[in-house]
Amino acid sequence: MTDLLKVDLVGVGLNATDTLISLPHYPAPGSKTEYRDVSVMPGGQVATTVVACQHWGMTTRYVGKLGDDSAAKLHREAFVREGVEARLITVAGGASPQSLILVDADGERTVLGRRDERLILQPEDLDRQWVTNARALHVDGHDTAAATLAAEWAREAGIPVIADLDELYPGVEQLLEKIDYLIVSRDFPTRLMEEAHLEKALRRMQRRYRSVLTAATLGEEGVLAWDGKQFHHSPAFAVPVIDTTGAGDIFHAGFIYGLLQGWGLKRQLDFACAAAALNCTGIGARGGIQTVASIEQLMATGSRHPAARVVA
């Protein structure tokens, strides 16, 4: 491992093979609904974020587990095609993570997931240099123990840690203590802090875990972030939505891209919102990843959803 090259971003976390099923509407219980088409594509929170950053010219490394099935082949080919350095642990006889995603006519998706317990990334699967030979670390909470160890190594090496969390996984408190940029789903802060008001929950999260930033992504409302002194709200860009799958993953990629460019927080959040919006104009978690120039064009000329949220 002494020859391991330093990359801009290392991601430790989930990959998944997404089977997208397009529907005219979400089916009612007990009903029959004719679907339009089916697409099988690579996805997963951290894996998709890493691929987007690589697509924008960053150097990246992905660390995760796969089975030895056709889904694993799909992921390996995608990493090679994008130029991502993949550190993959193969589980003989294991089934790679799968997601069935129902997408209605408005582009809203419902995810059904399945994961082989043997494919949980364990702390002993990691190599310290995979993490410390990078400028930033991105994790999710699915493989909590492994993510916590990776974040600990990153902290010791002075590497910023970004997290994408949407569930209260066992052991997540220990992980949260090691996150610098905590960007989570809409209801994660209120559930975690047992606080009904999002603004108060974000403040309390930042104080408790001593994060540089706490933020919640809010769909059409964009993102709300607290930096320890003030709130920052970036409304979402209005685009023709085909599929919202992967919007949060691409938002995180945009945030990380801006962070490593040294941008101010407002530009980071605006870029991340624009990148996420454009991804929703394509099919699949990675189907709408656009160029940096296209994202900046939307930032300069695009319209936004009304800013319904007012923060002090």
Side-chain angles (χ1 to χ4, degrees):
M1 291 298 173
T2 54
D3 296 328
L4 192 68
L5 295 176
K6 186 169 185 176
V7 296
D8 294 316
L9 174 68
V10 59
V12 176
L14 186 66
N15 64 74
T17 301
D18 296 339
T19 300
L20 290 103
I21 304 171
S22 297
L23 303 169
H25 55 81
Y26 192 81
S31 68
K32 293 183 179 180
T33 301
E34 184 172 341
Y35 64 86
R36 293 172 176 169
D37 51 60
V38 175
S39 304
V40 180
M41 302 177 176
Q45 283 171 253
V46 166
T48 295
T49 296
V50 166
V51 165
C53 287
Q54 181 77 32
H55 191 79
W56 297 328
M58 296 171 63
T59 54
T60 63
R61 177 180 302 123
Y62 171 75
V63 182
K65 261 184 176 174
L66 290 168
D68 57 0
D69 49 11
S70 59
K73 184 173 182 289
L74 182 72
H75 282 284
R76 292 180 186 277
E77 290 174 349
F79 288 134
V80 170
R81 185 168 59 250
E82 290 291 343
V84 174
E85 178 197 316
R87 299 286 169 169
L88 300 170
I89 295 95
T90 300
V91 177
S96 299
Q98 299 275 348
S99 295
L100 299 179
I101 303 177
L102 308 180
V103 184
D104 66 20
D106 295 323
E108 194 57 57
R109 90 284 188 266
T110 301
V111 181
L112 310 175
R114 186 196 70 179
R115 196 172 188 201
D116 187 332
E117 293 296 312
R118 292 172 294 173
L119 269 74
I120 295 176
L121 192 68
Q122 302 294 339
E124 56 267 26
D125 294 324
L126 302 179
D127 185 295
R128 189 185 188 106
Q129 290 193 59
W130 294 349
V131 174
T132 57
N133 278 5
R135 294 175 59 207
L137 167 67
H138 182 52
V139 299
D140 56 37
H142 288 268
D143 303 319
T144 313
T148 300
L149 179 59
E152 183 178 313
W153 287 342
R155 273 283 179 90
E156 291 171 355
I159 296 167
V161 184
I162 305 95
D164 178 2
L165 300 174
D166 52 16
E167 296 293 340
L168 301 179
Y169 303 102
V172 75
E173 292 268 357
Q174 289 72 39
L175 174 60
L176 291 171
E177 294 170 356
K178 299 171 177 62
I179 304 301
D180 299 295
Y181 299 92
L182 186 52
I183 305 171
V184 300
S185 59
R186 178 191 297 265
D187 62 345
F188 184 92
T190 55
R191 285 185 290 135
L192 176 69
M193 306 309 299
E194 298 181 343
E195 166 57 65
H197 297 280
L198 177 60
E199 288 85 349
K200 291 181 180 179
L202 288 172
R203 285 174 182 260
R204 290 177 58 189
M205 278 174 57
Q206 190 271 335
R207 285 198 302 267
R208 177 180 294 182
Y209 301 108
R210 300 180 181 179
S211 307
V212 175
L213 184 84
T214 53
T217 53
L218 306 171
E220 286 190 358
E221 291 184 60
V223 61
L224 181 66
W226 170 253
D227 65 4
K229 295 181 180 179
Q230 64 181 26
F231 280 106
H232 304 262
H233 179 225
S234 181
F237 287 88
V239 296
V241 174
I242 294 176
D243 179 9
T244 59
T245 303
D249 310 337
I250 304 304
F251 179 93
H252 283 79
F255 180 87
I256 293 167
Y257 182 86
L259 178 68
L260 295 186
Q261 298 295 318
W263 294 346
L265 181 56
K266 182 182 185 306
R267 189 179 179 193
Q268 279 180 259
L269 296 176
D270 286 349
F271 183 88
C273 283
L278 287 174
N279 197 63
C280 293
T281 65
I283 297 174
R286 309 172 190 176
I289 299 174
Q290 299 293 317
T291 64
V292 171
S294 295
I295 296 166
E296 292 182 334
Q297 178 69 17
L298 181 62
M299 291 168 62
T301 63
S303 61
R304 301 206 190 210
H305 288 284
R309 182 173 296 274
V310 178
V311 296

